[in-house]
Amino acid sequence: MQVGVIGSGSCYDDICEFAYRLGQLLAERGCVVINGGLGGVMEAVSKGVSSRGGVAIGIVPGKDRRDANPYCKYVIATNMGHARNMIIVHSSDVLVAVGGGYGTVSEMAIALKEGKRVVAYKPAVKLEGLIVVKTPEEAVSKALEGLE
């Protein structure tokens, strides 16, 4: 199972704590986690995945793989800027959004348009079809429901 985790490049409130725990839970379930590879939510979820021996793949917007956070086991450099969001969406079986801004909203919208399940914690906007959750445990349960 490949789970895309999307969210802001910076953390606020309890967002990073949520993302870290989410990463741990996904790794414990044997999921490969795909994210944007940078800081904030992306780094927190990758760190959580790494802490449980899982695999986090960072899809970075630039051309240098060294831009990725140190917790990504594998890094794909795209040199595509925000267009890399399409790669994250299309490479994921399901997406979990953790907070976020315009970039996260665009990824959620693309995924929903493509018929993919999108689970969200503290989304900036509530799009039709979005599944809003309150805990990392609920996020994993809703994300993987019927997919394993």
Side-chain angles (χ1 to χ4, degrees):
M1 183 71 51
Q2 294 190 168
V3 179
V5 177
I6 56 179
S8 177
S10 59
C11 285
Y12 51 91
D13 300 331
D14 63 335
I15 295 294
C16 274
E17 185 178 305
F18 184 100
Y20 178 80
R21 181 68 181 135
L22 175 67
Q24 289 180 319
L25 294 169
L26 289 170
E28 289 169 3
R29 297 285 288 269
C31 298
V32 170
V33 174
I34 299 171
N35 65 71
L38 301 178
V41 166
M42 299 167 278
E43 184 168 354
V45 74
S46 298
K47 186 176 182 180
V49 169
S50 178
S51 77
R52 294 295 194 263
V55 174
I57 300 173
I59 312 289
V60 296
K63 61 184 179 180
D64 193 341
R65 292 185 322 192
R66 293 174 294 185
D67 291 340
N69 71 68
Y71 305 103
C72 290
K73 185 164 187 155
Y74 303 106
V75 178
I76 298 170
T78 66
N79 201 29
M80 296 174 67
H82 294 294
R84 68 89 147 76
N85 293 353
M86 294 293 284
I87 295 169
I88 295 167
V89 169
H90 289 290
S91 297
S92 302
D93 298 307
V94 61
L95 283 98
V96 179
V98 183
Y102 292 127
T104 306
V105 171
S106 73
E107 288 168 299
M108 291 188 308
I110 293 163
L112 290 166
K113 185 174 182 179
E114 292 296 318
K116 297 199 177 200
R117 182 178 305 156
V118 181
V119 175
Y121 175 70
K122 293 189 176 180
V125 297
K126 293 184 180 165
L127 301 169
E128 184 178 337
L130 195 64
I131 301 166
V132 179
V133 297
K134 295 183 179 184
T135 68
E137 291 78 12
E138 184 183 12
V140 171
S141 174
K142 295 288 186 187
L144 301 183
E145 190 173 280
L147 295 178
E148 291 183 297

